Amino acid sequence: MTRRRSRRLLVLTSLVLLVGLGGAVVHVGWRVVGARDELAAASAAAERAMAALGAGDAGTAALAVDALVAHAEAADPGDDAFWWAAERLPGAGAQLAAVRAVASGLARVGADVASPLLAAARDMADVDLAGLPARLRTVAPELERAERTRAEVQAALSDIDRSGLVDEIADGLGLLDRMLTEVAEVTVPAAEASRILPAVLGADGPRTILVMVQNTAELRTGGGITGTFLQLDVDDGRVTLAGIRDSSDFAPAAEPLLPLRAGERYALGDGIGRFVQNASMTADFSLSARLASAWWQGATAVTPDAVVSVDPIVLAALLGATGPVDTASGPLTAEEVVDRLLVQAYATLSPQEQSAAFAEVAAAALDAMLERGDPLALASALRAPIEDGRISVWSAHEEEQRMIAGTPLAGPLLRHRQAGPGAFAVYLNDATGGKLTPYLQVGLGIGVMACRADGRQEVVVTVELGNALPVDAAETLPVSVTGGGIWGAAVGDIAPTVSVVAPAGWFLGGVRLDGEAVAHAVGEDDGQPAATRRTDIHPGGTRTLSFRFIAPDRAGVEPSLLHTPLLVEPAALPAAVTCAAS
């Protein structure tokens, strides 16, 4: 009797377990269908939010973000025990875990990243520059939390094995990846600005900012020769233009004002520290800034608290946000800046008139920014110039400089190091002594060869240089444009000095000009090797330089390339290289 009862109990228990398991399967299946529909709706809302943000429509973006959060939270299984158990099963478990990651990630990005950003944007909407420091400090904690959350979600996604995921789930992860990338373009600089800008703008006491305006018509590593300086006095957000000087106001020094980087001094000469126009010839913007500060202090007895470098493309971006400015030669729009300042001025004006025109536009752009510049519109307008390395900042205050050093505003050298272990950099310095960059055509390419017997890879950086100047133009253009042959380049030739800097630990493998091995200068600073070669290009001609570097070990490399900010984005050359080309 006891045995019969035991059997019945075992059968009954088995039936209950089977029914329970079937119920669990049905439950999880029902939740999966619901999650699929909710994630589809969340994805659609995310697309609407990104489109609205791109169009500057904060209201529509906020509604879309609210919908995104609601649908993503509905899709998230949360503490559902059956779902949690199903995630541990082979095969389907990885799919269910990925669904949870997508749902919770979308919800966090919406609720804890996008929503605080939109709230901060609303708080900043009516602020002027005078009120900017205080307002930034008010929103800083939320901006910092938003960036931390974004980084956490991105780190969690990187741990997911995406092989074998069904298309719908893989697409959801891809959307989340794209959202995080686009959001990072806002959260990272916003958090950085909230930390750095208040003090720089005088929130803690008066500051003096020296602005270096680079003239990209004559190239230097950081952009161009430093043609105009502006002193801004800042006190709790109130900015006053306190002084303006031209590079011709500073006499050359007999010896460099500060110690130079050994490799750059060898390859480019000590003019980096002797001529104010060459202050941005070094990749180290902290050195450029300290040189500019020393020049300014010597001339005015004023020691800047910070130095900011900009170029005409930055001025154009500012005018794009503020509207045209009035000048002695008529209204100037954003679209006219490069032609008016870097082409027409040198073809039609005397050197003194050129300097005056450049200074006038810089001052007018500053006035427009102060008088009618909306901080959010200005931040949006300056995003691309910052990404291109056209704006660099240095602070004489150590804590501020430590924060700046980890941002895209830190200048060429630190931007290069931030780009990772596979990053190479191409820097151009004009040796013509004229203003021929508007006629310089540049193409850049980078590729990897694996031809060595020791298994180490080689990277080849290709630099194609063209001279678009008509053959007879040298006879009609003034010396201020062509250089007049004074600096060793024939009249009409463009003579860029090209330096390619490799990551630390790499080895130089030679330089070729139009396929033939050529002599070149070799330098090294802080373990980073560099090869430098000057090349003269006749009107209508093209020359091609290739720089080869050898990896320090047998690890694979995915190379990337940075370059001196140019007037026009360089053409992308094919990356393919062959062992025969070595």
Side-chain angles (χ1 to χ4, degrees):
M1 191 72 174
T2 302
R3 183 178 300 173
R4 188 176 298 123
R5 287 177 178 171
S6 297
R7 285 178 180 173
R8 283 201 297 266
L9 181 60
L10 179 60
V11 171
L12 181 61
T13 302
S14 298
L15 287 172
V16 169
L17 288 174
L18 286 173
V19 170
L21 180 59
V25 170
V26 171
H27 171 79
V28 172
W30 173 78
R31 288 297 306 268
V32 167
V33 173
R36 180 198 63 192
D37 294 341
E38 294 291 352
L39 284 179
S43 298
E47 296 284 5
R48 293 197 304 274
M50 288 189 287
L53 286 171
D57 186 349
T60 300
L63 292 174
V65 167
D66 289 343
L68 160 66
V69 172
H71 289 298
E73 288 179 344
D76 189 348
D79 57 1
D80 187 311
F82 290 122
W83 189 293
W84 182 90
E87 285 183 18
R88 273 71 190 160
L89 297 174
Q95 310 285 345
L96 296 176
V99 169
R100 180 192 295 275
V102 172
S104 63
L106 283 171
R108 290 192 71 191
V109 170
D112 301 330
V113 181
S115 290
L117 282 178
L118 289 168
R122 286 193 295 270
D123 288 343
M124 301 284 291
D126 60 346
V127 70
D128 57 14
L129 287 174
L132 183 59
R135 193 68 62 88
L136 274 174
R137 283 196 164 159
T138 299
V139 302
E142 285 299 315
L143 294 176
E144 294 277 7
R145 279 193 289 272
E147 168 51 20
R148 282 198 301 272
T149 300
R150 181 208 62 80
E152 290 170 3
V153 174
Q154 198 151 39
L157 288 187
S158 67
D159 294 333
I160 297 176
D161 181 4
R162 306 190 184 197
S163 60
L165 293 180
V166 298
D167 289 345
E168 284 181 315
I169 300 174
D171 289 345
L173 284 169
L175 171 66
L176 190 49
D177 285 336
R178 183 157 59 88
M179 281 191 70
L180 290 167
T181 298
E182 294 188 13
V183 166
E185 294 178 357
V186 179
T187 58
V188 173
E192 290 166 348
S194 70
R195 288 195 301 268
I196 298 169
L197 273 182
V200 172
L201 292 176
D204 302 323
R207 292 291 186 91
T208 296
I209 301 173
L210 181 64
V211 179
M212 306 164 54
V213 183
Q214 308 286 329
N215 184 337
T216 41
E218 187 172 348
L219 287 174
R220 295 292 183 268
T221 293
I225 64 168
T226 306
T228 303
F229 292 89
L230 298 89
Q231 178 186 322
L232 308 182
D233 290 346
V234 187
D235 188 2
D236 199 21
R238 293 180 295 275
V239 183
T240 303
L241 177 58
I244 185 166
R245 294 204 176 206
D246 180 78
S247 59
S248 61
D249 295 332
F250 304 89
E255 295 291 334
L257 298 185
L258 296 172
L260 307 178
R261 289 161 55 83
E264 292 177 337
R265 178 170 184 157
Y266 175 74
L268 301 172
D270 67 0
I272 298 172
R274 294 180 51 239
F275 298 89
V276 72
Q277 297 93 332
N278 290 342
S280 58
M281 188 176 277
T282 173
D284 183 358
F285 184 70
S286 69
L287 175 56
S288 296
R290 287 182 290 114
L291 284 168
S293 183
W295 287 106
W296 192 258
Q297 183 180 9
T300 68
V302 174
T303 302
D305 292 290
V307 177
V308 179
S309 175
V310 299
D311 70 7
I313 304 301
V314 177
L315 299 182
L318 290 175
L319 296 190
T322 65
V325 293
D326 292 326
T327 70
S329 55
L332 178 67
T333 67
E335 295 75 19
E336 297 170 321
V337 167
V338 170
D339 185 62
R340 286 263 298 270
L341 286 185
L342 304 183
V343 180
Q344 297 303 321
Y346 293 104
T348 61
L349 303 178
S350 69
Q352 293 76 19
E353 291 170 331
Q354 295 160 12
S355 297
F358 214 87
E360 180 192 26
V361 170
L366 174 65
D367 286 343
M369 182 181 72
L370 298 177
E371 292 173 2
R372 57 180 187 269
D374 172 78
L376 291 179
L378 291 172
S380 178
L382 294 177
R383 182 188 299 177
I386 290 173
E387 291 174 352
D388 293 342
R390 298 182 185 279
I391 304 177
S392 297
V393 179
W394 171 85
S395 174
H397 301 262
E398 290 186 9
E399 181 60 28
E400 291 170 13
Q401 181 56 25
R402 277 195 292 272
M403 289 188 286
I404 292 169
T407 75
L409 298 171
L413 175 65
L414 294 181
R415 282 170 54 85
H416 186 183
R417 293 178 181 172
Q418 292 165 21
F424 293 74
V426 176
Y427 300 132
L428 293 93
N429 286 278
D430 180 79
T432 312
K435 304 294 184 291
L436 289 173
T437 301
Y439 306 97
L440 177 66
Q441 299 170 324
V442 179
L444 299 175
I446 188 166
V448 178
M449 296 191 299
C451 311
R452 295 173 58 90
D454 61 8
R456 289 187 293 175
Q457 292 184 331
E458 296 175 87
V459 164
V460 177
V461 177
T462 304
V463 183
E464 186 177 273
L465 304 165
N467 184 344
L469 203 62
V471 175
D472 59 350
E475 301 173 2
T476 60
L477 292 174
V479 171
S480 59
V481 176
T482 66
I486 299 171
W487 304 97
V491 175
D493 283 6
I494 303 179
T497 298
V498 182
S499 298
V500 180
V501 184
W506 282 66
F507 302 96
L508 297 171
V511 177
R512 292 177 178 267
L513 175 61
D514 296 333
E516 300 294 329
V518 291
H520 55 281
V522 174
E524 182 175 294
D525 287 306
D526 302 322
Q528 290 187 268
T532 299
R533 169 75 189 195
R534 169 177 160 172
T535 303
D536 293 21
I537 312 130
H538 303 314
T542 302
R543 309 298 300 272
T544 301
L545 286 162
S546 59
F547 298 77
R548 193 172 68 188
F549 299 89
I550 303 166
D553 51 45
R554 298 174 65 179
V557 61
E558 295 183 9
S560 59
L561 198 58
L562 291 82
H563 60 83
T564 288
L566 301 167
L567 292 178
V568 177
E569 184 65 19
L573 301 179
V577 292
T578 64
C579 295
S582 64

